[in-house]
Amino acid sequence: MFNSQTKHIFISYKRNIHPDEQVALQVFQALSQQHKVFIDQTMSIGTRWAERIETEIRQADFLIAFLSAWSTQSEMVIAEIETAHHLSKSQQGRPVILPVRLAYQEPLVYPLSAYLNGINWAFWKDTEDTPRLINELLQTISGTPLTIATQKPPSSPVGERSRTTSPSSLPHPFPSAQPISLEMPEGTMESQSAFYVERSCDAVALQTIEQQGVTITIKGPRQMGKSSLLIRTIKTAVNAGKRVALLDFQLFDKAALTNADLFFRQFCTWLTDELEMTDKVTEYWNLPLGNSQRCTRYVGRYLLKEFGNPLVLAMDEVETVFDTEFRSDFFGMLRSWHNSRATTPIWKQLDLALVTSTEPYQLIDNLNQSPFNVGQVIDLEDFTPAQVSDLNRRHGSPFNPKEEQQLMALLGGHPYLIRLALYSVASQRLSVNELFTNATTDNGIFGNHLRNHLFRLHNQQELVKAMFQIIRQNLCQDERIFFRLRGAGLVRREGRIVLPRCQLYAEYFREHLG
């Protein structure tokens, strides 16, 4: 019987993984005696899945997040934590996120580090530890903060925010894959990864950044390898004697993205901190000038002048600014910095590297004020059949030539999904036949990825309607909507027709958006 002390609790975990699912179910059963607890296994057939997940997180007082080597790479777990994080800012701190590390002490990587670093967490060691964990969670829900383990896992080092760490007990790979260890296909790849696929544009980016006073734009849909190429570009810049300041624009909070003055000030403060210089932002902000002028003076007359060495300002996820009212001011400012190299020597010290998944030309009114159509523009494309074949060999050839063709037909060279398929079969998590048979099911190897897309689409009806029209008629009448879907990595254009990016998406969304 529930009473006024009853709380709504949402459990976020990685399905079909041990011990994640077992511990999550035990906690669910124990907490359900006193509280209203939601876990995705309680949904009945026919439930509008994505809508239900969002509703349950919105209503929750607490979100328990089980963190393991696998769950920290799960798109759905990350999406659920991200949703809870943003809701808590607009719902007076609800839901409260309660991280539980399942025998996992690695530093969190971005974006989880941005959401969870600084939050107290609980630690589960093994099955004998479950009763203690349940008791600690019950006490926390009643008002006692979670304990922090004796030694808190270190934060991700600067410049490695997106780096992934491999789990401690990977499935045993095929002997033919030795001596190279397999790598989980999640997040940004290390610059020396044996599984990184070099494309022709890589050489262009690396050669360009070795020059002085350059602007590079890396474009492409989600999960194309943009951030991985950026990391390789950064390493080349460092080897060339340049200092790099990497700003990931996803870390700007909503307050900054709705207030131009706050955004420009935070931008300058953040850049100053990355360079480990004295913050003089307040001094420059007292000038009776506009935000772009203040920011330009601060960077040109203070940071670059005092720093005195070549600097690369690398900006990831800059599309975060595209929906703001001050986007033209900010990007116009970057364009002016690019142009100033021709007349003011100090600006030749500054390289700009921008990464975006959205087509910027649709969102900037005056192209003469855009930094995206000058310098070196790199547009990433899907893997070719030859590149997939090469990557298959690096994984120990788990797919034969005919199966490689089937894989290309299903995934269309999608870099992340290709790597996920090769890794999953090479590590013997499933057979090739099982991969193809269960490709579009929620329990299949692509289920987590597909559910994440569905979750992010469900409350954006104009995108849902357009996606369904593309599947049914190969048509998208609104260019703005097309570029949003393309930026999300869901569609592509061939001539005058618009298609789902791959057959996997066409089959899955035809069933779930209908």
Side-chain angles (χ1 to χ4, degrees):
M1 180 67 66
F2 299 126
N3 53 47
S4 60
Q5 301 301 314
T6 299
K7 301 296 183 182
H8 289 261
I9 301 168
F10 185 101
I11 293 180
S12 178
Y13 71 105
K14 174 67 173 169
R15 297 183 70 173
N16 303 317
I17 292 295
H18 178 80
D20 303 42
E21 185 165 3
Q22 290 80 358
V23 178
L25 287 173
Q26 288 177 306
V27 169
F28 165 74
Q29 292 165 1
L31 269 56
S32 294
Q33 303 300 315
Q34 302 177 37
H35 302 284
K36 295 181 180 179
V37 187
F38 174 83
I39 192 168
D40 60 4
Q41 298 193 12
T42 62
M43 288 189 289
S44 58
I45 296 175
T47 300
R48 295 178 67 87
W49 174 86
E51 183 176 328
R52 176 72 182 280
I53 292 291
E54 197 274 339
T55 299
E56 292 290 344
I57 297 177
R58 184 177 296 276
Q59 294 177 348
D61 297 296
F62 296 91
L63 180 140
I64 299 174
F66 287 102
L67 306 177
S68 68
W70 288 102
S71 70
T72 53
Q73 309 296 334
S74 165
E75 292 181 78
M76 265 316 302
V77 170
I78 293 172
E80 289 164 355
I81 292 173
E82 176 188 358
T83 300
H85 171 80
H86 291 309
L87 284 173
S88 69
K89 291 183 177 296
S90 60
Q91 295 187 162
Q92 291 74 50
R94 294 179 50 256
V96 175
I97 300 176
L98 304 178
V100 177
R101 288 174 171 268
L102 299 176
Y104 179 69
Q105 299 193 60
E106 297 295 328
L108 296 176
V109 297
Y110 184 83
L112 287 181
S113 58
Y115 304 140
L116 302 181
N117 280 1
I119 297 179
N120 289 10
W121 47 274
F123 187 78
W124 177 93
K125 182 179 180 181
D126 51 35
T127 54
E128 295 181 0
D129 211 16
T130 304
R132 182 204 56 78
L133 172 64
I134 291 172
N135 183 59
E136 183 174 356
L137 289 171
L138 285 170
Q139 290 181 359
T140 300
I141 292 167
S142 298
T144 303
L146 284 177
T147 59
I148 299 179
T150 305
Q151 183 177 1
K152 186 175 181 178
S155 300
S156 301
V158 175
E160 295 288 336
R161 275 190 287 266
S162 299
R163 179 180 173 183
T164 56
T165 52
S166 299
S168 56
S169 55
L170 286 170
H172 183 67
F174 287 136
S176 57
Q178 299 299 324
I180 299 174
S181 298
L182 297 177
E183 293 178 9
M184 292 179 69
E186 309 285 349
T188 302
M189 302 180 71
E190 295 185 26
S191 58
Q192 299 302 319
S193 170
F195 298 95
Y196 184 86
V197 176
E198 287 196 17
R199 288 169 271 197
S200 58
C201 58
D202 283 41
V204 175
L206 303 188
Q207 291 169 8
T208 301
I209 202 62
E210 290 180 332
Q211 303 170 31
Q212 186 173 357
V214 297
T215 298
I216 300 174
T217 296
I218 301 174
K219 296 192 305 175
R222 287 187 67 249
Q223 298 179 314
M224 284 291 291
K226 299 184 301 298
S227 294
S228 296
L229 177 54
L230 177 63
I231 294 301
R232 290 169 65 86
T233 304
I234 286 173
K235 182 176 181 180
T236 300
V238 171
N239 290 340
K242 299 181 179 183
R243 176 71 177 270
V244 178
L246 172 59
L247 308 184
D248 190 322
F249 277 40
Q250 289 185 103
L251 293 179
F252 279 109
D253 57 31
K254 287 188 176 180
L257 295 174
T258 55
N259 184 316
D261 186 68
L262 181 59
F263 174 84
F264 280 91
R265 288 191 66 142
Q266 284 191 6
F267 176 82
C268 289
T269 297
W270 190 4
L271 180 55
T272 306
D273 182 65
E274 289 292 325
L275 295 177
E276 300 177 296
M277 295 175 64
T278 302
D279 190 331
K280 295 186 178 181
V281 173
T282 300
E283 176 183 334
Y284 279 78
W285 240 253
N286 289 329
L287 298 171
L289 300 170
N291 287 314
S292 298
Q293 293 169 305
R294 292 167 178 162
C295 190
T296 297
R297 287 192 174 216
Y298 184 76
V299 173
R301 297 188 182 184
Y302 172 53
L303 292 183
L304 293 179
K305 183 178 179 181
E306 293 295 322
F307 188 66
N309 294 306
L311 171 65
V312 179
L313 175 52
M315 294 167 280
D316 202 358
E317 304 283 353
V318 295
E319 64 267 22
T320 304
V321 182
F322 286 164
D323 289 331
T324 67
E325 294 182 355
F326 51 81
R327 63 175 179 265
S328 293
D329 292 337
F330 177 70
F331 291 120
M333 179 187 73
L334 296 184
R335 173 63 177 264
S336 75
W337 294 359
H338 169 89
N339 293 341
S340 293
R341 296 184 188 126
T343 57
T344 310
I346 193 72
W347 289 101
K348 291 182 180 180
Q349 290 181 201
L350 180 67
D351 298 329
L352 299 175
L354 303 101
V355 179
T356 177
S357 63
T358 303
E359 184 59 63
Y361 307 128
Q362 299 295 314
L363 299 162
I364 298 178
D365 298 330
N366 185 351
L367 293 183
N368 292 323
Q369 294 183 340
S370 171
F372 300 104
N373 56 357
V374 293
Q376 187 65 60
V377 180
I378 295 171
D379 208 336
L380 292 183
E381 298 181 350
D382 283 336
F383 289 162
T384 65
Q387 289 168 334
V388 171
S389 182
D390 175 54
L391 195 55
N392 183 37
R393 286 193 294 272
R394 299 189 209 181
H395 282 80
S397 299
F399 288 75
N400 64 38
K402 182 178 180 180
E403 291 164 344
E404 275 186 22
Q405 294 177 5
Q406 286 181 268
L407 194 64
M408 279 296 295
L410 179 67
L411 305 180
H414 188 303
Y416 168 70
L417 295 181
I418 290 290
R419 288 194 63 223
L420 177 60
L422 293 173
Y423 171 82
S424 300
V425 176
S427 63
Q428 299 183 339
R429 291 186 64 193
L430 76 171
S431 67
V432 172
N433 183 61
E434 289 171 330
L435 182 144
F436 288 124
T437 300
N438 301 315
T440 60
T441 66
D442 283 344
N443 289 327
I445 194 63
F446 306 118
N448 182 69
H449 172 84
L450 294 169
R451 289 196 305 274
N452 179 51
H453 272 304
L454 188 63
F455 178 66
R456 294 182 182 278
L457 276 177
H458 88 277
N459 61 351
Q460 302 187 62
Q461 288 305 308
E462 60 179 1
L463 298 186
V464 171
K465 183 178 179 180
M467 188 69 187
F468 195 62
Q469 183 183 40
I470 290 168
I471 292 171
R472 296 285 297 273
Q473 302 175 20
N474 299 142
L475 177 68
C476 184
Q477 297 172 322
D478 189 325
E479 281 292 283
R480 179 180 59 89
I481 296 298
F482 165 75
F483 281 113
R484 288 182 64 185
L485 289 171
R486 182 180 180 274
L490 293 173
V491 303
R492 59 190 171 89
R493 175 173 278 156
E494 286 189 3
R496 295 184 177 181
I497 65 172
V498 180
L499 302 166
R501 183 175 175 186
C502 60
Q503 187 61 33
L504 177 72
Y505 288 172
E507 294 178 7
Y508 182 81
F509 290 113
R510 181 181 293 112
E511 177 182 352
H512 289 82
L513 295 181

